Amino acid sequence: MPSRLQALRALVRQQGAGPAALYLLHRVLGRLSGGRVRIVPYRLVAQPVGRGVDVRDDPASVVRVVTADDPIAQAFPRPAAVNAARWAAGAQCHALSVKGAFAGTVWTQRRAYDEDEVRCRFVMTEPAVSVWDFDVYVEPRLRLGRAMARLWKAVDADLAAQGVRWSFSRISMFNPESLNSHARLGARPVGWAVFFCAGTAQLALLPQAPWVHVSSRAGRPTVSVRPPEH
């Protein structure tokens, strides 16, 4: 229990009473429903691209854009069908290898991204200079080192060369550590969305019209995100 108490205190300190109250409600509803009911609160952020990452290069760490037929994809942590669907939708994947072994990925999507944790479509209002990054993953054995920084450094440089200026993503309000790490890289908050899920039913509270969206099995709300410079 101490770890949950610490998490709650961190939420209150860093995000305020609102997210902390949602976290408590999420825990209570999840326990009463046997995990069937959950609350998924997102903070939407925009990270500037092209500023670079202050980390030394490592000859043993290689980042490259990979496609579905690349052998390294067999080591990805997601099911092959999930990865195939992402590539079919036009997503791009940067993969990190360290000493020849798979070490991590960053996926990016242009124009719009269909969230797979809840039903929602995030649409970029300026797709020429924007991407959505998702499923940022580093192998557990490397998470205390500089693998993530080296991976993002390569992605940042590649996106900047493509003319991208902003990379959007969603972060759980229940994860202050991730929010802090994004903030250190210059990420700025640009919105929020909160989802109440019970089985296949979903209630979404949104920062823009229609404000409230209810669906069951099919149908997803659309949330537009724009660069913070506007």
Side-chain angles (χ1 to χ4, degrees):
M1 296 303 290
S3 61
R4 292 178 183 173
L5 182 59
Q6 291 172 2
L8 182 61
R9 287 174 174 170
L11 280 173
V12 173
R13 183 173 62 254
Q14 300 172 22
Q15 300 298 316
L22 283 177
Y23 177 76
L24 285 175
L25 183 59
H26 167 73
R27 298 291 306 178
V28 171
L29 292 177
R31 178 170 297 181
L32 293 176
S33 66
R36 187 171 178 272
V37 177
R38 59 198 175 98
I39 300 175
V40 183
Y42 290 148
R43 186 80 65 193
L44 309 181
V45 300
Q47 188 163 306
V49 170
R51 293 174 50 175
V53 178
D54 186 17
V55 62
R56 285 191 305 176
D57 292 333
D58 173 22
S61 300
V62 177
V63 179
R64 55 193 176 86
V65 175
V66 299
T67 55
D69 57 354
D70 195 300
I72 199 174
Q74 297 177 13
F76 285 9
R78 313 304 171 213
V82 171
N83 297 326
R86 292 174 175 180
W87 274 305
Q92 185 177 67
C93 180
H94 287 77
L96 167 69
S97 61
V98 177
K99 297 181 179 178
F102 169 74
T105 55
V106 172
W107 290 82
T108 54
Q109 182 82 48
R110 291 274 193 166
R111 300 186 180 279
Y113 171 67
D114 289 335
E115 176 59 48
D116 56 12
E117 185 179 40
V118 296
R119 293 191 298 275
C120 185
R121 169 169 288 186
F122 296 104
V123 177
M124 284 148 283
T125 60
E126 298 190 23
V129 296
S130 305
V131 296
W132 187 275
D133 69 76
F134 63 101
D135 200 8
V136 177
Y137 174 84
V138 170
E139 287 281 86
R141 70 182 190 280
L142 299 171
R143 290 177 185 172
L144 295 179
R146 299 179 179 179
M148 183 65 250
R150 292 191 175 105
L151 174 55
W152 185 253
K153 179 180 180 179
V155 174
D156 178 83
D158 193 16
L159 292 177
Q162 298 175 40
V164 175
R165 297 204 306 270
W166 295 98
S167 184
F168 295 89
S169 58
R170 54 81 172 165
I171 308 171
S172 171
M173 292 183 190
F174 297 161
N175 191 347
E177 290 184 2
S178 182
L179 288 165
N180 287 338
S181 64
H182 278 75
R184 286 193 293 269
L185 291 173
R188 306 183 199 176
V190 293
W192 56 270
V194 178
F195 301 86
F196 297 82
C197 306
T200 60
Q202 175 181 281
L203 167 67
L205 303 182
L206 309 170
Q208 56 198 236
W211 310 108
V212 177
H213 184 276
V214 179
S215 62
S216 178
R217 293 187 183 278
R220 61 180 66 226
T222 295
V223 176
S224 297
V225 291
R226 65 180 63 251
E229 58 192 12
H230 292 276

